[in-house]
Amino acid sequence: MKNNLTSQQMGKIKNLFADRVRFNKVERLVYSHDMGMMPEQVRALIQCTPDAIVQPISTQEVINIIKIAQEEKIPIVPRGAGSAGFGGSVPAKAGIVIDFVRMNKIIDIDKEDMTATVESGVVWQNLEGELSKRGLTLRTYPSSSDSTVGGWVAQGGNGYGGYEYGDFRQNIVSVDVVLPTGELKSFSGSEIDKVYSLCGITGLM
Ligand SMILES: Cc1cc2nc3c(=O)[nH]c(=O)nc-3n(C[C@H](O)[C@H](O)[C@H](O)COP(=O)(O)OP(=O)(O)OC[C@H]3O[C@@H](n4cnc5c(N)ncnc54)[C@H](O)[C@@H]3O)c2cc1C
């Protein structure tokens, strides 16, 4: 299985991510799938095996890898828990998968405002666990409770609590997004539509 990256490009990525980057065949194969199984006829037409997988731990690292990808013209694909099953987190032209698994901090739970501020890789069941310690609960979350908050922003949808509180879009206060230029921007109000349910094509949460 060939790797499209040059050794110089690999070196640049390795410098940034140290032991949080993988170029080996086995892990690249794991990331060539999500929860669903893409038909072989489709897989044959695309390059679904990434060349590298990185796991950022900060927004700055997300910005840094986007800048490298832009400079080197390497495709990138964001990935949460890979539970969507439609192949959105699977590459079509190889490149770099940005796996948000380590950006899993619950930054703030505001009992007055009834809001939670989290990193995109936070998993719903962990957030619900932290809320329940404070006598709170999520208004809505997907039945795939081990999927990520960022993944649901990007994929969009309805979940538990939806009849009462609407779909996830109606429960988002704001989203911080790293744009394809590497610029960090916060979207709120109607601007959330520029990122919600767009599968990460307009930026990374
Ligand atoms: C058993 C089961 C139950 C489910 N129940 C529900 C349900 O009740 N409601 C519902 O709506 N869906 C449901 N789903 C579908 C799926 O779990 C949701 O769409 C979930 O929100 C996807 O999150 P994820 O972290 O797995 O994202 P992934 O599958 O990893 O990614 C989904 C999309 O988001 C993009 N993405 C991921 N993270 C980011 C990021 N940080 N920034 C930008 N883009 C990003 C990816 O590139 C991809 O296009 C279910 C799936 C399963 C298997």
Side-chain angles (χ1 to χ4, degrees), residues 39-60:
E40 279 308 321
Q41 294 90 332
V42 178
R43 287 178 72 83
L45 297 173
I46 61 175
Q47 283 185 277
C48 51
T49 306
D51 299 308
I53 304 104
V54 298
Q55 295 184 335
I57 52 171
S58 67
T59 304
Q60 189 56 52

Side-chain angles (χ1 to χ4, degrees), residues 78 80-84 88 100 120 142-144 147-148 151-152 154-155 157-158 199-200 203 205:
S83 73
F100 283 90
S120 61
S143 60
S144 48
S147 61
T148 66
W152 212 25
Q155 190 70 39
N158 267 285
C199 291
M205 269 67 85

Side-chain angles (χ1 to χ4, degrees), residues 34-35 77-90 98 100 120-121 124 141-160 198-201 203-205:
D34 65 0
M35 180 66 83
V77 180
R79 183 179 179 109
S83 73
F86 301 111
S89 58
V90 176
I98 303 177
F100 283 90
S120 61
W124 290 104
Y141 62 99
S143 60
S144 48
S145 57
D146 49 3
S147 61
T148 66
V149 174
W152 212 25
V153 177
Q155 190 70 39
N158 267 285
Y160 293 127
L198 293 177
C199 291
I201 59 169
L204 306 190
M205 269 67 85

Side-chain angles (χ1 to χ4, degrees), residues 2-91:
K2 75 168 177 143
N3 196 311
N4 299 297
L5 300 179
T6 63
S7 52
Q8 197 197 3
Q9 289 170 331
M10 285 187 195
K12 272 190 175 184
I13 301 168
K14 181 101 183 140
N15 278 346
L16 273 183
F17 288 92
D19 63 345
R20 289 177 287 105
V21 58
R22 292 289 184 273
F23 303 108
N24 70 69
K25 286 180 192 171
V26 173
E27 289 186 64
R28 287 166 57 210
L29 267 181
V30 170
Y31 284 83
S32 73
H33 292 269
D34 65 0
M35 180 66 83
M37 180 56 82
M38 209 180 280
E40 279 308 321
Q41 294 90 332
V42 178
R43 287 178 72 83
L45 297 173
I46 61 175
Q47 283 185 277
C48 51
T49 306
D51 299 308
I53 304 104
V54 298
Q55 295 184 335
I57 52 171
S58 67
T59 304
Q60 189 56 52
E61 285 193 348
V62 176
I63 292 170
N64 293 345
I65 191 65
I66 286 198
K67 286 190 173 161
I68 288 188
Q70 286 284 14
E71 275 164 28
E72 301 288 339
K73 307 272 178 256
I74 304 169
I76 54 166
V77 180
R79 183 179 179 109
S83 73
F86 301 111
S89 58
V90 176

